[in-house]
CSV table of all heavy atoms in Angstrom, one decimal:
chain,number,residue,atom,x,y,z
A,18,MET,N,-47.8,-89.9,-85.6
A,18,MET,CA,-46.5,-89.6,-85.2
A,18,MET,C,-46.3,-88.3,-84.5
A,18,MET,O,-46.8,-87.3,-84.9
A,18,MET,CB,-45.6,-89.6,-86.5
A,18,MET,CG,-44.1,-89.5,-86.2
A,18,MET,SD,-43.2,-89.9,-87.6
A,18,MET,CE,-42.2,-88.5,-87.8
A,29,GLY,N,-32.8,-82.8,-74.6
A,29,GLY,CA,-32.5,-84.2,-74.4
A,29,GLY,C,-31.0,-84.5,-74.5
A,29,GLY,O,-30.4,-85.2,-73.8
A,33,GLU,N,-28.2,-85.8,-71.7
A,33,GLU,CA,-27.4,-87.0,-71.8
A,33,GLU,C,-25.9,-86.6,-71.6
A,33,GLU,O,-25.2,-87.3,-70.8
A,33,GLU,CB,-27.6,-87.6,-73.2
A,33,GLU,CG,-28.8,-88.3,-73.4
A,33,GLU,CD,-29.0,-88.8,-74.9
A,33,GLU,OE1,-27.9,-89.0,-75.6
A,33,GLU,OE2,-30.1,-89.0,-75.2
A,46,PRO,N,-17.0,-83.0,-55.0
A,46,PRO,CA,-17.8,-83.8,-54.1
A,46,PRO,C,-19.2,-83.4,-53.8
A,46,PRO,O,-20.1,-84.2,-53.4
A,46,PRO,CB,-17.1,-83.8,-52.8
A,46,PRO,CG,-16.1,-82.6,-52.9
A,46,PRO,CD,-16.0,-82.3,-54.3
A,55,ASN,N,-34.2,-83.2,-65.7
A,55,ASN,CA,-34.8,-82.5,-66.8
A,55,ASN,C,-33.9,-81.4,-67.3
A,55,ASN,O,-33.2,-80.7,-66.5
A,55,ASN,CB,-36.2,-82.1,-66.4
A,55,ASN,CG,-37.1,-81.8,-67.6
A,55,ASN,OD1,-36.7,-82.1,-68.7
A,55,ASN,ND2,-38.2,-81.3,-67.4
A,57,LYS,N,-34.8,-77.9,-69.8
A,57,LYS,CA,-35.8,-77.2,-70.6
A,57,LYS,C,-35.0,-76.1,-71.3
A,57,LYS,O,-34.3,-75.3,-70.7
A,57,LYS,CB,-36.8,-76.6,-69.7
A,57,LYS,CG,-37.7,-77.7,-69.2
A,57,LYS,CD,-39.0,-77.1,-68.6
A,57,LYS,CE,-39.8,-78.3,-68.2
A,57,LYS,NZ,-41.1,-78.0,-67.8
A,67,ILE,N,-31.6,-76.2,-66.1
A,67,ILE,CA,-31.3,-77.6,-65.7
A,67,ILE,C,-31.9,-77.9,-64.3
A,67,ILE,O,-31.6,-77.2,-63.4
A,67,ILE,CB,-29.8,-77.8,-65.7
A,67,ILE,CG1,-29.3,-77.5,-67.1
A,67,ILE,CG2,-29.4,-79.2,-65.3
A,67,ILE,CD1,-27.9,-77.6,-67.4
A,69,PHE,N,-32.2,-80.7,-61.3
A,69,PHE,CA,-31.4,-81.9,-60.7
A,69,PHE,C,-32.1,-82.3,-59.4
A,69,PHE,O,-32.9,-81.5,-58.8
A,69,PHE,CB,-29.9,-81.6,-60.6
A,69,PHE,CG,-29.7,-80.5,-59.5
A,69,PHE,CD1,-29.4,-80.9,-58.2
A,69,PHE,CD2,-29.7,-79.1,-59.8
A,69,PHE,CE1,-29.1,-80.0,-57.1
A,69,PHE,CE2,-29.5,-78.2,-58.8
A,69,PHE,CZ,-29.2,-78.6,-57.5
A,73,GLY,N,-30.8,-86.1,-49.8
A,73,GLY,CA,-30.4,-85.4,-48.6
A,73,GLY,C,-31.2,-84.2,-48.4
A,73,GLY,O,-32.3,-84.0,-49.0
A,74,GLY,N,-30.8,-83.5,-47.4
A,74,GLY,CA,-31.6,-82.3,-46.9
A,74,GLY,C,-31.3,-81.1,-47.8
A,74,GLY,O,-30.7,-81.1,-48.9
A,76,ALA,N,-29.6,-78.5,-47.0
A,76,ALA,CA,-28.2,-78.1,-47.1
A,76,ALA,C,-27.4,-78.7,-48.3
A,76,ALA,O,-26.6,-78.1,-48.9
A,76,ALA,CB,-27.5,-78.5,-45.7
A,86,GLU,N,-22.8,-74.0,-59.9
A,86,GLU,CA,-22.5,-72.7,-60.2
A,86,GLU,C,-21.0,-72.6,-60.5
A,86,GLU,O,-20.5,-71.9,-61.4
A,86,GLU,CB,-23.0,-71.8,-59.2
A,86,GLU,CG,-22.7,-70.3,-59.4
A,86,GLU,CD,-23.6,-69.8,-60.6
A,86,GLU,OE1,-24.7,-70.2,-60.8
A,86,GLU,OE2,-23.1,-68.9,-61.2
A,93,LYS,N,-20.0,-75.5,-69.7
A,93,LYS,CA,-20.2,-74.8,-70.9
A,93,LYS,C,-19.2,-75.1,-72.0
A,93,LYS,O,-19.5,-75.5,-73.2
A,93,LYS,CB,-20.3,-73.3,-70.8
A,93,LYS,CG,-21.5,-72.8,-70.2
A,93,LYS,CD,-21.4,-71.2,-70.2
A,93,LYS,CE,-22.7,-70.6,-69.8
A,93,LYS,NZ,-22.6,-69.2,-69.7
A,98,PRO,N,-18.5,-78.4,-77.8
A,98,PRO,CA,-18.1,-79.2,-79.0
A,98,PRO,C,-19.0,-80.5,-79.2
A,98,PRO,O,-19.0,-81.0,-80.2
A,98,PRO,CB,-16.7,-79.6,-78.6
A,98,PRO,CG,-16.5,-79.4,-77.2
A,98,PRO,CD,-17.5,-78.4,-76.7
A,99,LYS,N,-19.7,-81.0,-78.1
A,99,LYS,CA,-20.4,-82.2,-78.3
A,99,LYS,C,-21.8,-81.9,-78.9
A,99,LYS,O,-22.5,-82.8,-79.2
A,99,LYS,CB,-20.5,-82.9,-76.9
A,99,LYS,CG,-19.2,-83.4,-76.4
A,99,LYS,CD,-19.2,-84.1,-75.1
A,99,LYS,CE,-17.8,-84.4,-74.7
A,99,LYS,NZ,-17.8,-85.1,-73.5
Side-chain angles (χ1 to χ4, degrees):
M18 183 164 126
E33 289 177 22
N55 197 7
K57 293 197 177 187
I67 299 181
F69 67 93
E86 186 64 34
K93 283 182 174 182
K99 295 178 182 180

